[in-house]
Amino acid sequence: MTSSSAIRELKEKLATTTALTVLTGAGISADSGVPTFRGAEGLWNNFRPEELASPEAFARNPHLVWEWYNWRRELLATKKPNPAHLTLVELERRVDNFWLITQNVDDLHPSAGTQRLSEIHGNIWKVRCTQCGQVTVNRDVPIAILPECSTCRGLLRPHIVWFGESLDPEDLQKSFEALRTCEVLLIIGTSGVVYPAASFGPVAKDHGAFVAELNLDPTPRSDLVDVAIQGRAKDLVPQLIS
Ligand code: BJW
Ligand code: ZN
């Protein structure tokens, strides 16, 4: 199937659906200038995840981990949603049962205006106390290292899900409900290698959804979906409602 006929088919599904779920990854924000994790220019080429994005790394050297998050905060502070993020806001307005599941911590979906969403890997502008567990918004750039909880003076950590950590059970429950009940699942800009998000496509498909992947390149999951369309998110996603 050519990419234009795949887009046409998907567009027709979206025009009539009443239940749409969307799963996004770093690729949707690449068009806003946010680095992805994997691939030629990915963050994990220059930084080792186990040294920066794991509870063990934070226990060993919280200073180093916070330095890295300060660098990320500085980078993200200037980034804005792109046409792909904005199109998803319009789809949310049009579709009764809409849910967006994002792996991104960059806050670009909420800042575009998306309201019905689960940020399953957390949000870089939130911090959590390692002692009392309180979650607060903190947009300081840079954040004072090491940051302390204003309630109990415990050490604050990024409110982000690191490797080996469980996702929030409420986010998971809401995500699986949206995957089980959707008619269409759009998977945009994710390599599909990190679990549990990597299992979300098959869950929706097993429940009868039409599953579409939009990605710059083919992924290990492209053969398992109903349509896989290659291109930049900022170019492809707006075509779905034009
Ligand atoms: C474009 C584009 C453009 C580029 N337009 N597209 C089952 C089996 C095996 C392992 C596990 C398993 N269950 C759990 C695990 C362990 C682990 C895991 O999955 N490991 C795998 C790597 C094998 N998972 C976990 O630890 C999770 N926890 C969990 O499951 O708890 C229970 C449990 C624990 C342990 C064992 C068993 C159960 C937690 C995962 C947390 C992930 N956190 C991170 C880091 C956050 C740090 C931070 O941001 O500060 O989240 S990892 C990193 O990857 C980040 C992302 O959200 C995540 C996904 O990446 P994403 O979004 O797919 O980005 P990329 O870069 O990989 O891909 C970008 C894509 O965009 C590419 O395809 C490009 O082609 C495309 N693209 N430009 C469109 N313009
Ligand atoms: Zn505290």
Side-chain angles (χ1 to χ4, degrees):
M1 190 188 280
T2 64
S3 137
S4 60
S5 59
I7 290 176
R8 204 173 320 117
E9 184 183 5
L10 182 54
K11 215 172 138 174
E12 279 164 16
K13 300 256 179 217
L14 290 173
T16 53
T17 187
T18 58
L20 168 65
T21 298
V22 184
L23 168 66
T24 64
I28 195 170
S29 296
D31 290 330
S32 294
V34 179
T36 60
F37 292 91
R38 298 163 189 85
E41 312 269 295
L43 284 177
W44 293 155
N45 281 329
N46 299 317
F47 304 99
R48 287 158 60 86
E50 60 273 28
E51 279 171 19
L52 294 164
S54 74
E56 295 78 17
F58 190 70
R60 204 165 42 234
N61 194 344
H63 203 279
L64 176 73
V65 173
W66 266 121
E67 291 279 9
W68 187 61
Y69 278 99
N70 258 342
W71 174 75
R72 302 260 311 278
R73 282 174 165 239
E74 201 173 316
L75 191 139
L76 285 172
T78 59
K79 303 303 181 224
K80 301 266 179 290
N82 65 59
H85 295 100
L86 298 172
T87 301
L88 294 179
V89 178
E90 176 58 21
L91 277 167
E92 177 174 6
R93 200 186 62 74
R94 294 185 187 185
V95 179
D96 284 347
N97 296 297
F98 174 97
W99 199 259
L100 192 154
I101 305 165
T102 187
Q103 299 168 86
N104 300 343
V105 302
D106 56 29
D107 203 44
L108 292 183
H109 286 299
S111 85
T114 295
Q115 295 186 354
R116 288 177 265 166
L117 89 164
S118 302
E119 295 174 294
I120 61 170
H121 291 165
N123 184 303
I124 199 161
W125 304 113
K126 291 182 181 168
V127 293
R128 184 166 84 243
C129 177
T130 56
Q131 270 179 38
C132 71
Q134 187 179 48
V135 176
T136 49
V137 172
N138 180 314
R139 291 185 173 268
D140 296 349
V141 181
I143 198 168
I145 295 178
L146 293 169
E148 274 183 5
C149 173
S150 57
T151 309
C152 78
R153 311 207 66 185
L155 174 63
L156 295 176
R157 59 164 280 177
H159 186 50
I160 284 182
V161 182
W162 288 324
F163 281 113
E165 294 188 312
S166 299
L167 281 68
D168 181 279
E170 248 179 67
D171 283 342
L172 273 181
Q173 200 205 330
K174 185 65 220 177
S175 299
F176 280 114
E177 185 193 318
L179 293 161
R180 282 192 302 262
T181 55
C182 65
E183 292 164 352
V184 180
L185 172 67
L186 290 183
I187 303 178
I188 306 171
T190 175
S191 57
V193 298
V194 174
Y195 285 85
S199 71
F200 289 178
V203 170
K205 196 147 177 49
D206 285 351
H207 285 81
F210 180 86
V211 180
E213 178 188 77
L214 279 61
N215 197 301
L216 191 55
D217 297 312
T219 75
R221 312 216 152 249
S222 302
D223 289 341
L224 308 171
V225 297
D226 294 295
V227 289
I229 305 168
Q230 272 91 54
R232 293 192 178 282
K234 77 165 170 47
D235 300 328
L236 292 181
V237 184
Q239 290 182 48
L240 300 178
I241 59 165
S242 63

